[in-house]
Amino acid sequence: MDKELQQIANEVEGLSEKLTALKKEIGKVIIGQEDTVSQLLITFLAGGHALLEGVPGLAKTLMIRTLSNAIDLKFKRIQFTPDLMPSDIIGTEILEEDHTTGKKFFKFNKGPIFSNIILADEINRTPPKTQAALLEAMQEFEVTYGDKTYPLDKPFFILATQNPIEQSGTFVLPEAQQDRFLLYIKIGYPTDKEETQILKATTGTKKAQLNKVLSGEDIVRLQQLVREVSISDGLIQYVSDVIRATRPDTTSVDYVKQWVDWGAGPRAGQAMILTAKANTLLEGRLAVTLEDLQRVALPVLRHRVLVNFRADAEGITSDTVTKEILKAIQLKDR
């Protein structure tokens, strides 16, 4: 067993060096935003999807494109607009003719969803009918058209962006679809120093050259290793306590009873454990700590805890609620 653990540790060390190189490549283009980049990598390692939210100009699209350029995988960008149809995403059947027999037949022409990394740009600008075209791909990693089901290539990731300040001509993602995103990542403004560096780097003639430092096989193996990262029964119980504390019916936290309409479901606990394991592996360790769980709690629960109308009016967000829960559960368990 010790020999097997040593082999895994050596493999993790080798792959960790590639992850460090990947961060370095991204840093050639993206200045700052270390937390956002780490959360995107956690999404990749955990085998899920991410929703990125930020005001215009914070390099959401550029960040995802840069990440894809440093990984040897197929990348497609889908610009979501009000007139986008489901067939524009998953594909459609076209009528073709067999030149040998002269017979006509329908052939399925695959859409851009059949790639490894999908940038769903401004996902909230398209109607629910088109948004729903992503649901099966996100959950089952396959697409059904007519009576046939087509598997998607793995690894497969959807990285979606949305703008929080524009409401005209947008369609809020239904809660069921938001729940399929592993992480809900909010991007903030750069610091004073970072903004100066951004202005200097983007207004000259120099253009960064990116190298592909990670392969699809590397990512698949990393996803397997994430599952092998150990977590104690006590920490699993802690996750269960945190998730149950988000629900007004089962919580012992008065703050939740006062401000929350709906709490998180079991998928939130799964996401919290998997992303904590991914964060552990990203840092080159093989055992989850309490700090790993608390670090991923906000992006995991941000879109799964729904505050009530009074909370909205008072400016209380799901992040505020999650922080209060983490304080209460931490004190109780310690």
Side-chain angles (χ1 to χ4, degrees):
M1 186 65 180
D2 290 341
K3 186 177 180 181
E4 184 180 347
L5 284 174
Q6 186 60 49
Q7 288 176 344
I8 292 175
N10 292 339
E11 191 174 7
V12 168
E13 184 179 354
L15 291 171
S16 292
E17 290 176 0
K18 290 189 177 183
L19 289 171
T20 301
L22 179 60
K23 283 185 177 181
K24 190 174 180 181
E25 291 298 309
I26 295 170
K28 291 180 180 178
V29 178
I30 303 299
I31 296 169
Q33 303 289 4
E34 286 88 358
D35 284 345
T36 303
V37 171
S38 292
Q39 288 175 22
L40 282 174
L41 293 180
I42 286 170
T43 302
F44 273 35
L45 297 183
H49 316 286
L51 177 63
L52 284 80
E53 182 180 278
V55 299
L58 293 183
K60 299 184 296 295
T61 301
L62 179 62
M63 189 181 302
I64 295 171
R65 186 179 288 278
T66 302
L67 177 60
S68 67
N69 287 339
I71 300 175
D72 192 14
L73 289 173
K74 290 186 293 182
F75 169 76
K76 282 289 192 302
R77 178 180 184 267
I78 305 173
Q79 182 62 52
F80 281 70
T81 57
D83 61 347
L84 193 73
M85 298 296 290
S87 58
D88 296 325
I89 298 173
I90 64 176
T92 187
E93 285 185 334
I94 56 175
L95 187 63
E96 291 198 351
E97 182 177 339
D98 189 324
H99 297 293
T100 305
T101 63
K103 289 184 178 180
K104 294 182 179 180
F105 61 95
F106 283 101
K107 179 184 177 183
F108 181 63
N109 190 28
K110 293 181 177 180
I113 196 74
F114 288 90
S115 296
N116 298 109
I117 303 174
I118 308 295
L119 166 55
D121 215 3
E122 296 185 295
I123 192 173
N124 59 332
R125 286 202 172 278
T126 200
K129 177 181 179 180
T130 306
Q131 292 173 358
L134 298 174
L135 290 177
E136 183 183 14
M138 293 175 74
Q139 189 64 30
E140 280 83 32
F141 296 93
E142 60 188 24
V143 168
T144 300
Y145 189 93
D147 59 351
K148 289 187 178 179
T149 298
Y150 302 87
L152 295 167
D153 293 337
K154 291 186 179 181
F156 174 76
F157 309 99
I158 290 179
L159 304 176
T161 69
Q162 66 179 16
N163 179 350
I165 62 174
E166 287 187 32
Q167 300 302 321
S168 177
T170 62
F171 304 85
V172 178
L173 284 174
E175 284 77 9
Q177 185 158 351
Q178 288 191 42
D179 193 38
R180 281 169 168 77
F181 285 103
L182 191 70
L183 295 181
Y184 183 176
I185 304 169
K186 286 195 174 182
I187 305 177
Y189 288 110
T191 64
D192 180 27
K193 183 179 178 181
E194 289 169 351
E195 193 145 7
T196 303
Q197 289 179 305
I198 290 168
L199 295 175
K200 183 178 179 180
T202 57
T203 56
T205 58
K206 188 177 179 182
K207 188 175 181 180
Q209 297 296 318
L210 295 178
N211 302 307
K212 294 189 182 296
V213 296
L214 205 65
S215 68
E217 291 77 12
D218 290 333
I219 292 178
V220 169
R221 181 54 184 151
L222 281 164
Q223 290 176 350
Q224 292 169 347
L225 289 171
V226 163
R227 298 275 178 167
E228 295 181 27
V229 171
S230 65
I231 180 170
S232 69
D233 290 344
L235 288 178
I236 292 175
Q237 183 61 53
Y238 172 81
V239 171
S240 178
D241 291 343
V242 167
I243 301 306
R244 292 182 64 79
T246 66
R247 303 167 191 162
D249 291 343
T250 59
T251 189
S252 60
V253 182
D254 290 336
Y255 199 87
V256 174
K257 293 176 182 177
Q258 184 177 1
W259 301 112
V260 174
D261 261 349
W262 295 98
R267 189 182 279 136
Q270 296 167 341
M272 196 168 171
I273 290 174
L274 275 177
T275 53
K277 286 186 172 189
N279 182 71
T280 301
L281 195 68
L282 190 62
E283 295 183 356
R285 295 179 285 108
L286 291 173
V288 174
T289 65
L290 179 63
E291 286 70 28
D292 292 317
L293 293 169
Q294 292 177 336
R295 182 179 179 186
V296 300
L298 289 181
V300 165
L301 295 174
R302 185 169 288 146
H303 51 308
R304 295 181 167 104
V305 175
L306 306 181
V307 296
N308 56 35
F309 178 78
R310 289 191 304 113
D312 276 333
E314 294 288 336
I316 294 171
T317 66
S318 59
D319 280 3
T320 314
V321 173
T322 300
K323 289 174 184 177
E324 291 295 325
I325 290 171
L326 291 179
K327 280 190 221 174
I329 300 301
Q330 186 177 8
L331 288 171
K332 182 183 73 173
D333 285 356
R334 288 188 174 182

